[in-house]
């Protein structure tokens, strides 16, 4: 027996909005994207057979976001992605990270600076708790790419956040 | 395992995506290698920092809009299901189908409450009023919600009160009392029951949390915790006992 849309998809509204908000970095746009996504989800609901409704919905949110056209293409994605975040492991001082009181807004700013591919990998992994397989399915890339994106995204974030700390500590 | 291998597997390791033998090899290496051990700590510190950020919850306006859009379609589906059931199914079978639907609705609420509980734990705003004194916590809800939630002193029974907060459930603001069992918080969501008959409890596990639902004293109770199901049952029977 199939369960109604309300019971299967509606409970994931917060997840849809959170993801859309991180994709768009705007409350207004995120609302529009989620509305579009729900219209699409409703239309294609019969295509969801079993499976995870949340990951399915997040995929649709992403498609709705990209369907909005070139003016919504993330300018940061075009930045070269190799150099900026790379750094020898020896420079990393975890204690500094643990002890410093990195404010919530500093972390948010750092995450917002990341290119879209990296940003969404972090959001889906850390805030939605999706597995690599699920992230691969939502973002339509191989699992190996998910892993390397997460690694690079985290290196970048650590780079940005430790730089912030050093600026703050040193006179 | 070399440091080069470890660096390649670092993220899969902290994300719990390695097969058991690989994870064990990684752990062995990282415990003996200072640089790789620090890399793991850095990843974990970063995770904590990222998870401290508040979740962007859907605004009420958006929720209302999406709900009204999908309701219309949902009702059509219900009508089709009901008509088909009347035609082909005997009355008894229909009742069974209805019971399954009700059970599913319960599951949806349970799932939501677990999400709410997890989110409250993730943010610094886990409690709106923090007190172990029921005479501080109960009046706090006055003027914030349109009913007086029962607040009990169960410290002697091993469930000290931590405090209370508000939550949005099914479009209404409800009271959440947080008790503690050893180190495990237990969130008790409570609101006036629409059907005040005392009903059998519904106990289930949702994403690693134990959830229990019951009705007593005209109130609908939902409790969510990472404590054991037995602890939860004990608290439920204390809260349901005649006062």
């Amino acid at each position: 027996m199939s369960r109604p849309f309300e019971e299967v998809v509606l409970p994931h509204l917060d997840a849809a909005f959170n993801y859309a908000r991180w994709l768009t970095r705007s409350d207004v746009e995120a609302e529009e994207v989620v509305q579009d996504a729900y219209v699409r989800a409703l239309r294609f609901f019969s295509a969801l057979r079993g499976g995870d409704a949340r990951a399915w919905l997040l995929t649709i949110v992403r498609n709705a976001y990209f369907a909005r056209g070139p003016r919504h293409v993330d300018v940061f994605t075009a930045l070269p992605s190799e150099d900026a975040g790379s750094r020898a492991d020896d420079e990393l001082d975890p204690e500094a990270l643990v002890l410093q009181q990195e404010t919530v807004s500093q972390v948010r700013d750092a995450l917002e600076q990341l290119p879209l591919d990296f940003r969404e990998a972090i959001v889906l992994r850390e805030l939605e708790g999706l597995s690599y397989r699920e992230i691969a399915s939502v973002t339509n890339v191989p699992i190996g790419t998910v892993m390397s994106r997460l690694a690079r995204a985290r290196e970048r974030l650590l780079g940005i956040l430790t730089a912030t700390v050093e600026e703050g500590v040193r006179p | 395992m070399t440091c080069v291998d470890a660096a390649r597997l670092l993220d899969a390791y902290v994300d719990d995506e390695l097969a058991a033998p690989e994870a064990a090899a990684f752990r062995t290496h990282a415990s003996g290698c200072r640089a790789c051990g620090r890399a793991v700590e850095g990843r974990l510190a970063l995770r904590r920092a990222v998870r401290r950020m508040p979740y962007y919850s859907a605004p009420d306006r958006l929720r209302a809009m999406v709900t009204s859009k999908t309701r219309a379609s949902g009702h059509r589906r219900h009508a089709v299901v009901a008509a088909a059931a009347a035609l082909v199914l005997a009355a008894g079978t229909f009742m069974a189908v209805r019971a399954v639907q009700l059970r599913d609705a319960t599951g949806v609420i349970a799932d939501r409450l677990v999400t709410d509980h997890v989110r409250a734990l993730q943010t610094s705003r886990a409690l709106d009023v923090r007190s172990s004194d029921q005479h501080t916590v109960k009046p706090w809800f006055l003027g914030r919600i349109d009913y007086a939630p029962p607040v009990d002193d169960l410290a002697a029974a091993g469930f000290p009160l931590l405090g209370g907060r508000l939550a949005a459930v099914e479009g209404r603001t409800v009271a959440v009392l947080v008790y503690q069992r050893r180190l495990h918080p237990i969130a008790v969501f409570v609101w006036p029951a629409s059907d005040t008959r005392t009903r059998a409890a519904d106990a289930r596990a949702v994403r690693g949390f134990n959830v229990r639902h019951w009705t007593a004293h005209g109130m609908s109770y939902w409790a969510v915790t990472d404590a054991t199901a037995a602890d939860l049952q004990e608290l439920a029977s204390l809260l349901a006992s005649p006062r």
Side-chain angles (χ1 to χ4, degrees):
Chain A
M1 193 189 71
S2 64
R3 295 166 60 200
F5 184 83
E6 283 175 73
E7 287 179 14
V8 178
V9 185
L10 219 45
H12 302 299
L13 181 61
D14 278 341
F17 183 74
N18 185 56
Y19 184 32
R21 179 65 181 67
W22 279 108
L23 287 174
T24 60
R25 295 178 290 197
S26 143
D27 285 328
V28 175
E29 260 198 87
E31 282 192 42
E32 292 169 8
V33 166
V34 170
Q35 283 189 50
D36 289 355
Y38 267 84
V39 170
R40 287 156 181 256
L42 203 52
R43 196 183 322 148
F44 300 118
F45 183 52
S46 56
L48 172 68
R49 307 200 187 287
D52 181 10
R54 187 172 50 144
W56 178 78
L57 179 65
L58 293 179
T59 310
I60 294 176
V61 165
R62 191 172 189 277
N63 292 341
Y65 169 69
F66 281 110
R68 292 166 67 80
R71 77 191 168 88
H72 296 284
V73 166
D74 194 311
V75 291
F76 292 96
T77 314
L79 291 175
S81 50
E82 289 299 340
D83 313 322
S86 63
R87 180 172 36 79
D89 273 339
D90 280 348
E91 288 171 36
L92 175 62
D93 186 358
E95 281 79 8
L97 263 176
V98 180
L99 294 177
Q100 51 75 27
Q101 285 304 303
E102 199 74 62
T103 66
V104 163
S105 67
Q106 281 171 311
V107 179
R108 184 190 297 133
D109 289 348
L111 185 50
E112 288 202 340
Q113 285 176 41
L114 293 192
L116 185 134
D117 295 349
F118 291 1
R119 195 164 73 230
E120 67 176 350
I122 294 283
V123 169
L124 294 174
R125 174 63 213 154
E126 302 291 18
L127 301 183
E128 294 302 334
L130 298 192
S131 67
Y132 284 10
R133 197 173 49 78
E134 288 169 321
I135 299 172
S137 148
V138 170
T139 58
N140 198 25
V141 293
I143 289 180
T145 306
V146 171
M147 187 165 111
S148 63
R149 278 183 187 172
L150 274 171
R152 284 157 64 191
R154 285 169 173 152
E155 287 298 328
R156 285 261 196 118
L157 270 182
L158 282 168
I160 297 169
L161 291 174
T162 48
T164 318
V165 173
E166 279 159 16
E167 279 165 28
V169 170
R170 285 170 193 170
Chain B
M1 182 176 288
T2 65
C3 288
V4 174
D5 295 330
R8 189 172 48 82
L9 298 177
L10 173 62
D11 289 274
Y13 174 74
V14 297
D15 288 324
D16 213 9
E17 294 269 353
L18 289 183
E22 266 183 315
F26 186 98
R27 211 171 294 123
T28 308
H29 172 80
S31 66
C33 169
R34 186 155 170 276
C36 292
R38 287 173 65 176
V40 172
E41 283 173 43
R43 288 292 199 262
L44 297 179
L46 178 64
R47 164 166 297 165
R48 283 192 293 275
V50 168
R51 290 189 178 170
R52 270 207 305 269
M53 284 190 303
Y55 200 85
Y56 289 113
S57 294
D60 291 343
R61 183 182 56 241
L62 176 65
R63 187 175 299 281
M65 215 175 303
V66 169
T67 307
S68 68
K69 254 182 209 163
T70 59
R71 275 267 145 80
S73 132
H75 286 160
R76 277 202 303 279
R77 283 184 79 87
H78 276 308
V80 171
V81 169
L87 281 172
V88 293
L89 299 176
T93 319
F94 182 70
M95 297 284 281
V97 169
R98 178 92 187 111
V100 168
Q101 284 176 341
L102 281 176
R103 200 175 151 70
D104 282 345
T106 309
V108 169
I109 295 180
D111 193 68
R112 278 217 167 156
L113 297 184
V114 167
T115 303
D116 184 272
H117 178 57
V118 172
R119 239 167 249 165
L121 293 179
Q122 281 171 346
T123 61
S124 53
R125 196 181 140 274
L127 292 168
D128 293 323
V129 51
R130 186 181 298 270
S131 169
S132 59
D133 180 2
Q134 54 175 321
H135 301 297
T136 303
V137 174
K138 189 166 174 132
W140 183 87
F141 286 103
L142 267 177
R144 290 187 163 90
I145 46 175
D146 59 358
Y147 60 94
V151 183
D152 296 68
D153 182 1
L154 301 171
F159 295 98
L161 182 64
L162 292 181
R165 63 180 175 89
L166 297 174
V169 177
E170 307 282 277
R172 75 179 289 176
T173 306
V174 305
V176 187
L177 285 316
V178 182
Y179 297 89
Q180 191 172 25
R181 180 61 150 187
R182 289 178 287 274
L183 286 175
H184 307 283
I186 306 179
V188 179
F189 298 76
V190 58
W191 62 83
S194 48
D195 175 357
T196 55
R197 280 171 300 175
T198 300
R199 251 171 309 171
D202 174 284
R204 57 176 75 210
V206 178
R207 287 179 270 143
F209 287 86
N210 286 305
V211 182
R212 194 176 180 88
H213 169 51
W214 70 95
T215 324
H217 312 301
M219 292 286 182
S220 181
Y221 288 85
W222 289 82
V224 180
T225 186
D226 61 328
T228 66
D231 285 338
L232 191 49
Q233 186 178 358
E234 190 184 337
L235 175 66
S237 64
L238 289 168
L239 290 174
S241 63
R243 7 188 127 238

